Amino acid sequence: MADNLQKRPSKGILKNSSSFDKQDSRNANFLARRKSKETKWDEMNIIATLHPADKDYGHMKIDEPKTPYYRDEAESEDVLDATELAEKIRLSTGKPPKAMESDDSEDDDEELTPEERIKKKEFESKRKKHYNEYYAVKLARKLLEEEEDEDDDANVAESKSSQGNPSNS
C-alpha cells in the first residue's frame, strides 16, 4: 500500500495552465467537428420518396364549377314603406293578435270529407279521454285504497273473533 502512495500518475487529472490559452482554437475545432457530425437532410429526396406526384392522400380535387346562383334584382328589393306599415298598425289596433283569436272549427268541418270529419271527431274524443286519464287514475287509486281499508277491517274483525273463540284454533 505504501508503494502505491509514492507512485506518481503518468498523467495528471488537472488541466495545465497552457490549456486555457488554447481554448479559442479548441472551440473552433469543436464547432467544425460538430458541424461535420450534424444530420443533413436531402429534402428533394424526401419529397420524391414520401410525396410522389401520383399519390393523392385521400384528398379529392373537384374540377367542376360551383353551382351558379341567379339573383333576381326585382325580388331582392324588399323595401319597407313606413306609411304602409303605419296604416297596417292603425287597422289592427282594434283586433286581438292572431294567436289569441278563437279557431272556428265549424268552417274547417265544411271543407272536410265525411271520412275526415269522422277521423277528426275520433281524434278529439281520444284527446279528451287522454287529458282526463289523470283524474281516472286518481279515482282508481282512491277506490283501491277504500277496498284495502275494507279488507283490513274485515281481517281485524276475523282475528278478534278467532281470538275470543278457542274452538277455532
Side-chain angles (χ1 to χ4, degrees), residues 80-92:
L80 184 63
D81 186 19
T83 56
E84 185 179 336
L85 181 62
E87 182 65 23
K88 286 184 178 182
I89 292 172
R90 188 185 62 77
L91 291 174
S92 65

Side-chain angles (χ1 to χ4, degrees), residues 2-61:
D3 295 330
N4 288 339
L5 292 175
Q6 291 180 357
K7 290 183 181 177
R8 292 191 153 234
S10 60
K11 184 177 178 186
I13 58 171
L14 298 175
K15 292 185 178 182
N16 295 331
S17 63
S18 63
S19 65
F20 294 112
D21 297 335
K22 297 178 185 177
Q23 187 173 10
D24 293 334
S25 63
R26 284 187 180 173
N27 281 342
N29 290 339
F30 174 73
L31 291 175
R33 277 186 280 137
R34 186 173 181 195
K35 204 168 202 177
S36 67
K37 290 182 180 179
E38 285 182 356
T39 307
K40 294 180 182 175
W41 299 98
D42 185 5
E43 293 183 14
M44 297 312 292
N45 187 17
I46 293 171
I47 290 173
T49 305
L50 299 177
H51 304 289
D54 59 340
K55 191 169 183 183
D56 64 351
Y57 295 104
H59 301 290
M60 292 176 53
K61 187 172 183 180

Side-chain angles (χ1 to χ4, degrees), residues 121-135:
K121 293 212 184 237
E122 286 176 4
F123 172 76
E124 288 174 358
S125 66
K126 287 180 183 178
R127 183 173 56 194
K128 287 180 184 177
K129 288 179 186 177
H130 171 74
Y131 287 125
N132 292 334
E133 234 176 86
Y134 170 76
Y135 298 109

Side-chain angles (χ1 to χ4, degrees), residues 71-102:
R71 186 174 200 163
D72 188 13
E73 295 297 325
E75 290 179 15
S76 66
E77 294 179 17
D78 191 18
V79 179
L80 184 63
D81 186 19
T83 56
E84 185 179 336
L85 181 62
E87 182 65 23
K88 286 184 178 182
I89 292 172
R90 188 185 62 77
L91 291 174
S92 65
T93 54
K95 299 178 186 175
K98 286 184 179 180
M100 300 297 289
E101 291 179 358
S102 63

